[in-house]
Amino acid sequence: MSLQDEVNALVDHARLAAPRDDSEPVADASVADLDRDAVDRLVDGFRSTRGPAFLRAQTTDVLRMAGVCPRGGDPSRVTLAGLMTLGTYPQEFFPQLNVTFVSYPTTDGRPMTDGTRFLENASIDGPIPEMAARLVEVATRSMTRRSVMVGIGREDIWEYPIEAIRELVVNALMHRDYHPLAHGTQIRVEMYPDRLIFLNPGGLYGAASPADLLEGSASSSRNAVLAKLLESVQMPGTNRPLCENRGSGIRLVAAELANAGLKPPVFRPTVGTFVAELRNGLARESQPVPVQHASLPPPGGTDAVILAALETGPKTNRELQEAAGLGRPAISRRLQGLERRGLVSPTTQRRSRDVRWALPPVRPAD
Protein backbone atom coordinates (compact mmCIF):
# COMPACT_ATOMS: atom_id res chain seq x y z
CA MET A 1 0.00 0.00 0.00
CA SER A 2 1.41 3.41 -1.00
CA LEU A 3 1.71 6.35 1.35
CA GLN A 4 -1.13 8.11 -0.48
CA ASP A 5 -3.32 5.02 -0.14
CA GLU A 6 -2.64 4.98 3.59
CA VAL A 7 -3.54 8.66 3.88
CA ASN A 8 -6.73 8.12 1.90
CA ALA A 9 -7.66 5.16 4.10
CA LEU A 10 -7.15 7.23 7.23
CA VAL A 11 -9.27 10.08 5.85
CA ASP A 12 -12.05 7.73 4.74
CA HIS A 13 -11.94 5.93 8.06
CA ALA A 14 -12.45 9.21 9.94
CA ARG A 15 -15.19 10.56 7.68
CA LEU A 16 -17.43 7.61 6.90
CA ALA A 17 -18.16 6.15 10.31
CA ALA A 18 -17.29 6.35 13.96
CA PRO A 19 -14.07 4.34 14.43
CA ARG A 20 -14.25 1.09 16.35
CA ASP A 21 -10.53 0.34 16.41
CA ASP A 22 -10.38 0.50 20.21
CA SER A 23 -13.07 -2.19 20.55
CA GLU A 24 -11.40 -4.67 18.20
CA PRO A 25 -9.95 -7.85 19.79
CA VAL A 26 -6.16 -8.03 19.87
CA ALA A 27 -4.68 -11.03 18.11
CA ASP A 28 -2.76 -13.36 20.46
CA ALA A 29 -3.67 -11.31 23.56
CA SER A 30 -5.91 -12.56 26.37
CA VAL A 31 -7.05 -11.61 29.87
CA ALA A 32 -3.86 -13.30 31.10
CA ASP A 33 -2.00 -10.31 29.64
CA LEU A 34 -3.88 -7.89 31.91
CA ASP A 35 -2.67 -6.68 35.29
CA ARG A 36 -4.79 -8.58 37.82
CA ASP A 37 -4.80 -5.81 40.43
CA ALA A 38 -5.83 -3.23 37.82
CA VAL A 39 -8.63 -5.53 36.64
CA ASP A 40 -9.90 -6.02 40.19
CA ARG A 41 -9.92 -2.27 40.84
CA LEU A 42 -11.82 -1.63 37.63
CA VAL A 43 -14.42 -4.33 38.33
CA ASP A 44 -14.92 -3.13 41.91
CA GLY A 45 -15.32 0.42 40.65
CA PHE A 46 -17.95 -0.53 38.06
CA ARG A 47 -19.87 -2.56 40.61
CA SER A 48 -19.92 0.28 43.13
CA THR A 49 -20.73 3.16 40.78
CA ARG A 50 -22.41 1.91 37.60
CA GLY A 51 -25.69 0.54 38.90
CA PRO A 52 -27.31 -2.83 39.64
CA ALA A 53 -26.51 -4.35 36.24
CA PHE A 54 -22.83 -4.43 37.20
CA LEU A 55 -23.46 -5.26 40.85
CA ARG A 56 -25.09 -8.55 39.91
CA ALA A 57 -22.70 -9.44 37.07
CA GLN A 58 -19.87 -11.93 37.09
CA THR A 59 -16.37 -10.60 36.49
CA THR A 60 -16.31 -11.84 32.90
CA ASP A 61 -19.62 -10.06 32.24
CA VAL A 62 -18.35 -6.82 33.80
CA LEU A 63 -15.28 -6.90 31.58
CA ARG A 64 -17.44 -7.50 28.51
CA MET A 65 -19.90 -4.71 29.35
CA ALA A 66 -17.05 -2.33 30.14
CA GLY A 67 -15.40 -3.04 26.78
CA VAL A 68 -12.30 -4.76 28.14
CA CYS A 69 -13.37 -7.98 26.41
CA PRO A 70 -15.14 -8.05 23.01
CA ARG A 71 -18.81 -8.84 22.65
CA GLY A 72 -19.45 -12.44 21.60
CA GLY A 73 -16.89 -15.10 20.96
CA ASP A 74 -14.15 -16.19 23.34
CA PRO A 75 -14.52 -14.38 26.72
CA SER A 76 -10.76 -14.71 27.30
CA ARG A 77 -9.97 -12.30 24.45
CA VAL A 78 -9.26 -8.62 25.13
CA THR A 79 -9.90 -5.46 23.13
CA LEU A 80 -7.29 -2.90 22.23
CA ALA A 81 -8.91 -0.49 24.72
CA GLY A 82 -8.75 -3.11 27.46
CA LEU A 83 -5.13 -3.96 26.74
CA MET A 84 -3.99 -0.33 26.57
CA THR A 85 -5.78 0.52 29.81
CA LEU A 86 -5.12 -2.58 31.94
CA GLY A 87 -2.37 -4.50 30.16
CA THR A 88 0.78 -5.56 31.94
CA TYR A 89 2.88 -4.53 28.93
CA PRO A 90 0.82 -3.54 25.84
CA GLN A 91 3.96 -2.82 23.81
CA GLU A 92 4.54 -6.58 23.59
CA PHE A 93 1.75 -6.49 21.00
CA PHE A 94 2.04 -2.87 19.79
CA PRO A 95 5.67 -1.71 20.16
CA GLN A 96 4.99 1.79 18.83
CA LEU A 97 1.83 2.57 20.81
CA ASN A 98 3.88 4.48 23.36
CA VAL A 99 5.12 7.99 24.16
CA THR A 100 8.54 9.45 23.45
CA PHE A 101 9.98 12.54 25.13
CA VAL A 102 12.93 14.56 23.90
CA SER A 103 14.36 17.76 25.37
CA TYR A 104 16.40 19.72 22.83
CA PRO A 105 19.10 22.19 23.88
CA THR A 106 18.34 24.66 21.08
CA THR A 107 15.17 26.30 19.79
CA ASP A 108 15.56 24.79 16.32
CA GLY A 109 16.48 21.29 17.51
CA ARG A 110 19.99 21.39 16.09
CA PRO A 111 22.87 20.01 18.20
CA MET A 112 25.00 22.38 20.23
CA THR A 113 28.49 23.24 19.06
CA ASP A 114 29.91 20.59 21.39
CA GLY A 115 27.77 17.91 19.74
CA THR A 116 25.07 17.65 22.43
CA ARG A 117 21.86 16.53 20.68
CA PHE A 118 19.49 15.91 23.58
CA LEU A 119 19.23 16.96 27.20
CA GLU A 120 16.70 14.17 27.82
CA ASN A 121 15.62 11.30 25.58
CA ALA A 122 13.05 8.82 26.92
CA SER A 123 10.84 6.12 25.43
CA ILE A 124 7.89 5.58 27.75
CA ASP A 125 6.05 2.23 27.72
CA GLY A 126 3.32 0.55 29.74
CA PRO A 127 -0.46 0.86 29.96
CA ILE A 128 -1.93 4.31 29.43
CA PRO A 129 -2.14 5.31 33.13
CA GLU A 130 1.54 4.48 33.65
CA MET A 131 2.63 6.23 30.45
CA ALA A 132 0.76 9.40 31.47
CA ALA A 133 2.31 9.43 34.95
CA ARG A 134 5.79 8.69 33.61
CA LEU A 135 5.60 11.43 30.97
CA VAL A 136 4.67 13.98 33.64
CA GLU A 137 7.62 12.80 35.74
CA VAL A 138 10.12 13.05 32.87
CA ALA A 139 8.82 16.43 31.70
CA THR A 140 8.95 17.82 35.23
CA ARG A 141 12.54 16.68 35.60
CA SER A 142 13.39 18.61 32.42
CA MET A 143 11.66 21.86 33.38
CA THR A 144 13.03 24.83 35.20
CA ARG A 145 11.26 26.25 38.23
CA ARG A 146 11.41 29.20 40.55
CA SER A 147 10.33 29.50 44.14
CA VAL A 148 8.15 32.27 45.58
CA MET A 149 7.16 32.91 49.16
CA VAL A 150 3.45 32.47 49.87
CA GLY A 151 2.60 33.43 53.43
CA ILE A 152 5.10 31.60 55.61
CA GLY A 153 5.73 28.88 53.03
CA ARG A 154 7.39 28.49 49.67
CA GLU A 155 5.68 27.60 46.39
CA ASP A 156 7.42 26.19 43.32
CA ILE A 157 6.40 27.76 40.01
CA TRP A 158 7.20 25.44 37.12
CA GLU A 159 8.07 26.44 33.58
CA TYR A 160 4.76 24.87 32.48
CA PRO A 161 1.82 24.00 34.76
CA ILE A 162 1.99 20.34 35.74
CA GLU A 163 -1.78 19.95 35.37
CA ALA A 164 -1.64 21.24 31.80
CA ILE A 165 1.01 18.67 30.87
CA ARG A 166 -0.92 15.87 32.54
CA GLU A 167 -4.13 16.83 30.75
CA LEU A 168 -2.50 17.09 27.33
CA VAL A 169 -0.75 13.73 27.50
CA VAL A 170 -3.91 11.97 28.74
CA ASN A 171 -5.86 13.70 25.97
CA ALA A 172 -3.31 12.50 23.42
CA LEU A 173 -3.39 8.90 24.66
CA MET A 174 -7.18 8.85 24.72
CA HIS A 175 -7.82 10.49 21.34
CA ARG A 176 -4.91 9.30 19.20
CA ASP A 177 -5.66 7.27 16.07
CA TYR A 178 -5.61 3.54 16.88
CA HIS A 179 -6.36 2.42 13.32
CA PRO A 180 -3.96 -0.38 12.28
CA LEU A 181 -2.30 1.94 9.75
CA ALA A 182 -1.33 4.24 12.63
CA HIS A 183 0.09 1.52 14.90
CA GLY A 184 3.62 2.34 13.74
CA THR A 185 3.48 5.92 15.03
CA GLN A 186 4.00 6.92 18.65
CA ILE A 187 2.93 10.05 20.50
CA ARG A 188 5.86 12.47 20.56
CA VAL A 189 6.45 15.15 23.18
CA GLU A 190 9.25 17.59 22.35
CA MET A 191 10.63 20.24 24.70
CA TYR A 192 12.61 23.19 23.36
CA PRO A 193 14.02 26.13 25.34
CA ASP A 194 10.95 28.21 24.44
CA ARG A 195 8.12 25.72 23.84
CA LEU A 196 6.64 22.30 24.59
CA ILE A 197 4.98 20.39 21.75
CA PHE A 198 2.68 17.35 21.75
CA LEU A 199 2.42 15.54 18.39
CA ASN A 200 -0.45 13.09 18.27
CA PRO A 201 -1.17 10.57 15.45
CA GLY A 202 -4.56 11.34 13.92
CA GLY A 203 -6.08 14.70 13.05
CA LEU A 204 -8.84 16.44 14.97
CA TYR A 205 -11.79 14.04 15.09
CA GLY A 206 -15.40 15.02 14.49
CA ALA A 207 -16.87 18.46 13.86
CA ALA A 208 -14.99 20.29 16.62
CA SER A 209 -12.52 23.03 15.68
CA PRO A 210 -9.52 24.20 17.73
CA ALA A 211 -11.62 27.16 18.89
CA ASP A 212 -14.37 24.78 20.00
CA LEU A 213 -11.87 22.86 22.10
CA LEU A 214 -10.77 25.99 23.95
CA GLU A 215 -14.36 27.06 24.55
CA GLY A 216 -15.54 23.58 25.51
CA SER A 217 -18.48 24.02 23.13
CA ALA A 218 -17.98 20.72 21.28
CA SER A 219 -16.62 17.32 22.19
CA SER A 220 -16.34 14.10 20.24
CA SER A 221 -14.36 10.96 20.96
CA ARG A 222 -12.54 8.95 18.32
CA ASN A 223 -12.21 6.08 20.83
CA ALA A 224 -15.46 5.86 22.78
CA VAL A 225 -14.74 2.58 24.57
CA LEU A 226 -11.26 3.67 25.59
CA ALA A 227 -12.52 7.05 26.83
CA LYS A 228 -15.11 5.31 29.00
CA LEU A 229 -12.48 3.02 30.48
CA LEU A 230 -9.99 5.79 31.20
CA GLU A 231 -12.51 7.72 33.27
CA SER A 232 -12.81 4.58 35.41
CA VAL A 233 -9.11 4.17 36.26
CA GLN A 234 -6.86 6.32 38.42
CA MET A 235 -3.69 8.23 37.78
CA PRO A 236 -0.95 6.14 39.46
CA GLY A 237 -0.04 7.40 42.90
CA THR A 238 -3.29 9.34 43.31
CA ASN A 239 -6.95 8.67 44.05
CA ARG A 240 -8.14 10.82 41.15
CA PRO A 241 -9.56 9.51 37.86
CA LEU A 242 -7.22 9.60 34.90
CA CYS A 243 -9.70 11.75 32.99
CA GLU A 244 -13.20 13.16 33.34
CA ASN A 245 -14.30 12.47 29.75
CA ARG A 246 -16.55 15.53 29.87
CA GLY A 247 -14.88 17.67 27.22
CA SER A 248 -13.44 19.99 29.87
CA GLY A 249 -9.76 19.04 29.63
CA ILE A 250 -8.64 21.66 27.12
CA ARG A 251 -10.43 24.40 29.02
CA LEU A 252 -8.49 23.28 32.10
CA VAL A 253 -5.23 23.52 30.15
CA ALA A 254 -6.07 27.07 29.01
CA ALA A 255 -7.02 28.08 32.56
CA GLU A 256 -3.80 26.65 34.04
CA LEU A 257 -1.71 28.49 31.46
CA ALA A 258 -3.58 31.75 32.11
CA ASN A 259 -3.04 31.39 35.86
CA ALA A 260 0.68 30.94 35.19
CA GLY A 261 0.77 34.07 33.03
CA LEU A 262 1.32 32.07 29.82
CA LYS A 263 -0.40 32.32 26.46
CA PRO A 264 -3.25 29.92 25.50
CA PRO A 265 -2.25 26.65 23.83
CA VAL A 266 -1.94 26.64 20.05
CA PHE A 267 -3.52 23.74 18.14
CA ARG A 268 -2.54 22.76 14.60
CA PRO A 269 -4.62 19.86 13.26
CA THR A 270 -3.77 18.21 9.94
CA VAL A 271 -5.06 15.06 8.21
CA GLY A 272 -2.65 12.77 10.04
CA THR A 273 -1.43 14.70 13.09
CA PHE A 274 -2.78 16.87 15.87
CA VAL A 275 -0.23 19.27 17.34
CA ALA A 276 -0.64 21.09 20.65
CA GLU A 277 1.98 23.71 21.50
CA LEU A 278 2.67 25.54 24.76
CA ARG A 279 4.93 28.60 24.94
CA ASN A 280 6.82 29.46 28.11
CA GLY A 281 7.65 33.07 27.25
CA LEU A 282 11.32 32.40 27.96
CA ALA A 283 12.73 32.30 24.43
CA ARG A 284 16.50 32.25 24.68
CA GLU A 285 19.02 33.73 22.32
CA SER A 286 20.53 31.17 19.95
CA GLN A 287 23.80 33.12 19.60
CA PRO A 288 26.19 34.09 22.40
CA VAL A 289 25.69 37.57 23.83
CA PRO A 290 28.91 39.56 24.35
CA VAL A 291 29.83 39.78 28.00
CA GLN A 292 29.79 43.55 28.01
CA HIS A 293 26.07 43.50 27.14
CA ALA A 294 25.10 40.85 29.71
CA SER A 295 23.35 41.76 32.95
CA LEU A 296 22.87 39.89 36.18
CA PRO A 297 19.55 38.08 36.69
CA PRO A 298 17.05 39.49 39.17
CA PRO A 299 17.51 38.31 42.77
CA GLY A 300 15.44 35.38 43.99
CA GLY A 301 15.28 33.56 40.68
CA THR A 302 16.87 30.23 39.76
CA ASP A 303 19.72 31.86 37.82
CA ALA A 304 20.53 34.04 40.83
CA VAL A 305 20.63 30.93 43.04
CA ILE A 306 23.11 29.27 40.67
CA LEU A 307 25.36 32.33 40.60
CA ALA A 308 25.21 32.63 44.38
CA ALA A 309 26.31 28.98 44.72
CA LEU A 310 29.28 29.69 42.46
CA GLU A 311 30.39 32.61 44.62
CA THR A 312 32.14 30.10 46.90
CA GLY A 313 34.00 28.42 44.04
CA PRO A 314 33.51 26.09 41.05
CA LYS A 315 30.72 23.53 41.28
CA THR A 316 29.78 20.35 39.44
CA ASN A 317 26.45 19.88 37.67
CA ARG A 318 25.32 17.67 40.55
CA GLU A 319 26.17 20.30 43.16
CA LEU A 320 24.31 22.97 41.20
CA GLN A 321 21.30 20.65 40.76
CA GLU A 322 21.06 20.32 44.52
CA ALA A 323 21.55 24.04 45.11
CA ALA A 324 18.85 25.06 42.62
CA GLY A 325 16.50 22.12 43.16
CA LEU A 326 16.54 21.17 39.46
CA GLY A 327 16.91 17.95 37.49
CA ARG A 328 19.83 17.27 35.17
CA PRO A 329 18.22 18.51 31.91
CA ALA A 330 16.89 21.66 33.56
CA ILE A 331 20.22 22.62 35.15
CA SER A 332 21.96 22.02 31.80
CA ARG A 333 19.59 24.42 30.08
CA ARG A 334 20.10 27.04 32.79
CA LEU A 335 23.89 26.77 32.61
CA GLN A 336 23.85 27.00 28.82
CA GLY A 337 21.79 30.16 29.04
CA LEU A 338 24.10 31.68 31.64
CA GLU A 339 27.14 30.72 29.57
CA ARG A 340 25.69 32.38 26.46
CA ARG A 341 25.28 35.55 28.52
CA GLY A 342 28.87 35.35 29.73
CA LEU A 343 27.88 34.81 33.37
CA VAL A 344 29.42 31.36 33.86
CA SER A 345 32.01 29.24 32.12
CA PRO A 346 33.10 25.58 32.28
CA THR A 347 36.51 24.90 33.78
CA THR A 348 37.05 21.89 31.49
CA GLN A 349 35.46 20.47 28.35
CA ARG A 350 31.69 20.87 28.69
CA ARG A 351 31.02 17.20 27.96
CA SER A 352 33.62 15.96 30.42
CA ARG A 353 32.28 13.83 33.26
CA ASP A 354 34.22 16.03 35.69
CA VAL A 355 33.14 19.39 34.24
CA ARG A 356 32.84 22.13 36.85
CA TRP A 357 31.28 25.56 36.40
CA ALA A 358 32.68 28.83 37.67
CA LEU A 359 32.07 32.56 37.55
CA PRO A 360 34.10 34.43 34.92
CA PRO A 361 37.17 36.32 36.13
CA VAL A 362 35.34 39.63 35.80
CA ARG A 363 31.63 39.79 36.59
CA PRO A 364 29.60 41.99 34.23
CA ALA A 365 28.12 45.10 35.73
CA ASP A 366 24.45 45.10 36.67
Side-chain angles (χ1 to χ4, degrees):
M1 178 179 290
S2 69
L3 177 61
Q4 187 59 52
D5 289 336
E6 293 184 11
V7 171
N8 291 339
L10 287 169
V11 173
D12 291 342
H13 181 71
R15 290 179 176 172
L16 295 179
R20 296 181 57 85
D21 305 307
D22 59 333
S23 62
E24 291 296 320
V26 177
D28 301 325
S30 72
V31 293
D33 297 299
L34 304 182
D35 181 275
R36 176 48 55 186
D37 291 338
V39 170
D40 290 342
R41 288 193 297 270
L42 181 85
V43 171
D44 290 343
F46 268 79
R47 284 174 174 162
S48 62
T49 63
R50 299 302 176 92
F54 287 95
L55 188 60
R56 297 190 299 264
Q58 299 294 319
T59 295
T60 54
D61 295 326
V62 172
L63 295 179
R64 174 180 52 78
M65 290 189 288
V68 175
C69 296
R71 295 182 59 83
D74 187 349
S76 69
R77 302 287 300 280
V78 295
T79 64
L80 186 145
L83 183 68
M84 293 304 299
T85 303
L86 305 173
T88 301
Y89 186 65
Q91 288 72 30
E92 178 181 356
F93 304 91
F94 303 107
Q96 292 290 83
L97 294 189
N98 68 340
V99 181
T100 59
F101 177 88
V102 175
S103 176
Y104 292 100
T106 58
T107 56
D108 58 8
R110 288 184 296 184
M112 296 181 64
T113 55
D114 66 358
T116 300
R117 296 177 59 198
F118 310 125
L119 300 177
E120 180 77 63
N121 183 12
S123 182
I124 302 169
D125 294 346
I128 287 176
E130 290 184 10
M131 285 194 286
R134 177 64 176 152
L135 185 278
V136 171
E137 176 187 329
V138 173
T140 301
R141 189 170 66 232
S142 299
M143 288 194 292
T144 60
R145 66 179 176 183
R146 57 189 174 88
S147 297
V148 297
M149 297 304 296
V150 179
I152 61 173
R154 188 182 74 171
E155 180 179 346
D156 289 329
I157 307 297
W158 291 96
E159 190 173 354
Y160 302 97
I162 302 298
E163 285 296 323
I165 295 175
R166 179 183 292 112
E167 197 65 42
L168 284 174
V169 70
V170 170
N171 189 77
L173 288 160
M174 180 166 61
H175 295 297
R176 69 153 289 162
D177 191 349
Y178 285 101
H179 187 276
L181 293 177
H183 284 180
T185 307
Q186 69 270 66
I187 294 168
R188 292 157 45 207
V189 182
E190 299 177 349
M191 180 176 284
Y192 298 84
D194 60 342
R195 65 198 187 278
L196 179 63
I197 300 178
F198 295 75
L199 299 103
N200 201 30
L204 185 59
Y205 176 73
S209 68
D212 294 330
L213 295 179
L214 286 171
E215 296 171 0
S217 57
S219 176
S220 56
S221 179
R222 174 183 275 114
N223 306 300
V225 174
L226 180 62
K228 199 72 173 175
L229 280 175
L230 293 182
E231 71 176 73
S232 305
V233 297
Q234 295 179 340
M235 176 70 78
T238 74
N239 58 0
R240 56 181 291 181
L242 193 70
C243 69
E244 293 181 347
N245 192 25
R246 301 293 186 270
S248 60
I250 299 303
R251 281 185 297 171
L252 172 63
V253 171
E256 289 286 332
L257 293 172
N259 290 339
L262 301 178
K263 294 181 178 180
V266 175
F267 300 120
R268 295 193 298 273
T270 65
V271 171
T273 307
F274 183 82
V275 178
E277 180 177 308
L278 308 183
R279 287 274 176 171
N280 62 19
L282 301 175
R284 299 169 176 84
E285 297 292 335
S286 59
Q287 299 298 324
V289 178
V291 171
Q292 60 267 30
H293 297 306
S295 61
L296 293 177
T302 301
D303 288 348
V305 171
I306 294 172
L307 295 179
L310 294 176
E311 292 279 4
T312 60
K315 299 287 188 298
T316 65
N317 279 18
R318 172 72 67 180
E319 290 171 329
L320 292 175
Q321 282 179 234
E322 294 175 355
L326 298 177
R328 182 180 62 83
I331 198 67
S332 295
R333 291 166 61 190
R334 287 287 182 173
L335 289 169
Q336 289 156 17
L338 290 169
E339 183 185 14
R340 285 196 296 269
R341 294 160 59 191
L343 295 173
V344 302
S345 59
T347 60
T348 57
Q349 287 293 324
R350 191 184 291 103
R351 300 189 70 184
S352 169
R353 176 176 297 181
D354 300 322
V355 63
R356 296 168 71 86
W357 294 85
L359 300 176
V362 179
R363 296 283 299 276
D366 194 355

